[in-house]
Amino acid sequence: MNREQVISYIKDNNIQKVKFAFADIDGVLRGKVISTKKFLEGLKTGYGFCDVVFGWDSNDVVYDNVDITGWHSGYPDRLCFIDLDTMRNVPWQDDIPFFLADYSGPNGLTVPADPRSLLKKVAEEFKAMGYHAEFAQEFEWFNFKETPQTLQQKGFANIEPLTPGMFGYSILRTSQNDAFYADLFNLLTRFNIPVEGLHTETGPGVYEAAIEHCEVLQAADNAVLFKTAVKEIAAKHGITATFMAKWNQELPGCSGHIHQSLWTEENGENLFYDGTDANKMSELHKQYLAGQLYCLPHLLPMYAPTINSYKRLVEGAWAPTTITWGVENRTTALRVINTSVGSTRLETRIPGSDTNPYLAIAAALASGLYGIKNKLKLDIPQTIGNGYQDKTHGTLHSNLFDAATAMQNSSVAKELFGEGFVQHFTQTRLWEHRQYAKSVSDWELKRYFEII
């Protein structure tokens, strides 16, 4: 709906309140419910929001090492702006109208670290070049018969999964929780997040969902909303859903793979496909892929943003550890899928389900743009077989500290996203490392408490 149609809808249906939210640096949705009066008044001027939302971590502890905001600035309000194109109703909350917002308005960007605005800028570059970027992110996540209260009471130990055992692609397990399973599919679709497929993965209580592909910004919006929507729907059934990359060392991790392709705006031609090539890959596809391979070491924290992300990126865990690509190879960092003209695409397999979709998708898109602009040659040969063993062209950083330090010092990262964003984002990742470094883990207690 355009602005006039939205206003008419609100007035004609006597709607008294609306809900809006934006994603912070961790991809956590922060928002408010506001009156219709306030909503209508702010459509042009924006809505004031304390900028501490970009100055604290996922546990609301303020950073001590960022310049964008802090005690030194007094934590003022910054203006965010609702994107009317994102309107949808929340079917599990009395169909309240909901909107996404970001910090780019008519007078420019009000918060340089805003993830959605960052992706919008990269997407606009592609559009100006005549490309239509089509994306989708898929997610795996674990479900538990727990509430926030029981998790706290149990200290996150001995928690009960929704279903027992390893049972991937199980028809039985989903039927045993058919009310939750049906609500996920039906309510997400009504929430304007069309799900292409939903099934169990291998692991107790783990599901996987593929969201339908669409224009890149909308795809990121869908991915961000998907994670919160799943948590809210699960809560209605007394279930807690987690999108941690690796919640248990004995079980598989949870992926957030990104699928992508470029198309013509005019006639809808898949620009990644070339039937005359041995791998059905166009030169543009190869340049795009080469860009991602080249930029991977410079942007890894945008794909793997938490301490926990790197517990998933280990050999033999269905997640990549090397700078590799292959056709239909799930052991490589980048997987080319070329089964038909319409489905030819690139899958970036580094991200886990803990990613901020705006940042992960921006990293993939900007890396591909880097390859196209610089006409990079795909000089890294395809990996045939086990990608974990192919270390010829390097391995991914194994921890957040090394990855964030490399990105902070990277001229490539600053060229792609600007020094302001790179400094803020990497400082938040180094903060995350410091919080982890001073903590005492269960592993340490069990290993040292009595023996040492």
Side-chain angles (χ1 to χ4, degrees), residues 279 281 325-329 332 334-338 382-383:
N279 292 317
M281 296 171 65
W325 73 279
V327 176
E328 284 294 357
N329 191 332
T332 56
L334 302 174
R335 170 186 170 221
V336 172
I337 301 165
N338 62 0
Q382 177 188 174
T383 296

Side-chain angles (χ1 to χ4, degrees), residues 251-422:
L251 295 171
C254 292
S255 69
H257 301 154
I258 299 170
H259 295 256
Q260 63 231 261
S261 55
L262 295 181
W263 299 68
T264 57
E265 291 279 6
E266 298 81 16
N267 55 13
E269 177 188 354
N270 188 348
L271 296 172
F272 274 10
Y273 181 83
D274 181 353
T276 65
D277 182 76
N279 292 317
K280 306 293 189 292
M281 296 171 65
S282 68
E283 189 60 32
L284 187 78
H285 191 175
K286 293 175 184 178
Q287 291 173 355
Y288 186 99
L289 194 158
Q292 283 208 13
L293 288 168
Y294 180 81
C295 294
L296 257 180
H298 301 272
L299 305 178
L300 185 57
M302 296 177 76
Y303 297 122
T306 72
I307 293 292
N308 187 249
S309 301
Y310 298 83
K311 306 294 174 70
R312 170 181 163 268
L313 299 175
V314 294
E315 291 190 10
W318 296 98
T321 58
T322 55
I323 300 174
T324 48
W325 73 279
V327 176
E328 284 294 357
N329 191 332
R330 286 183 167 87
T331 68
T332 56
L334 302 174
R335 170 186 170 221
V336 172
I337 301 165
N338 62 0
T339 49
S340 68
V341 177
S343 64
T344 294
R345 63 193 185 275
L346 181 65
E347 178 189 41
T348 304
R349 294 181 57 81
I350 301 95
S353 58
D354 60 343
T355 52
N356 178 339
Y358 292 121
L359 297 187
I361 289 175
L365 191 62
S367 298
L369 179 61
Y370 184 90
I372 292 170
K373 279 184 172 180
N374 292 283
K375 293 184 168 46
L376 295 186
K377 293 293 183 184
L378 186 55
D379 52 10
I380 294 179
Q382 177 188 174
T383 296
I384 306 294
N386 191 343
Y388 296 116
Q389 296 177 350
D390 187 355
K391 301 177 182 179
T392 310
H393 301 281
T395 58
L396 302 178
H397 294 294
S398 62
N399 61 78
L400 183 59
F401 176 81
D402 289 344
T405 302
M407 182 174 177
Q408 188 174 59
N409 296 327
S410 168
S411 59
V412 172
K414 292 168 188 173
E415 178 184 343
L416 293 179
F417 299 117
E419 184 153 1
F421 169 78
V422 171

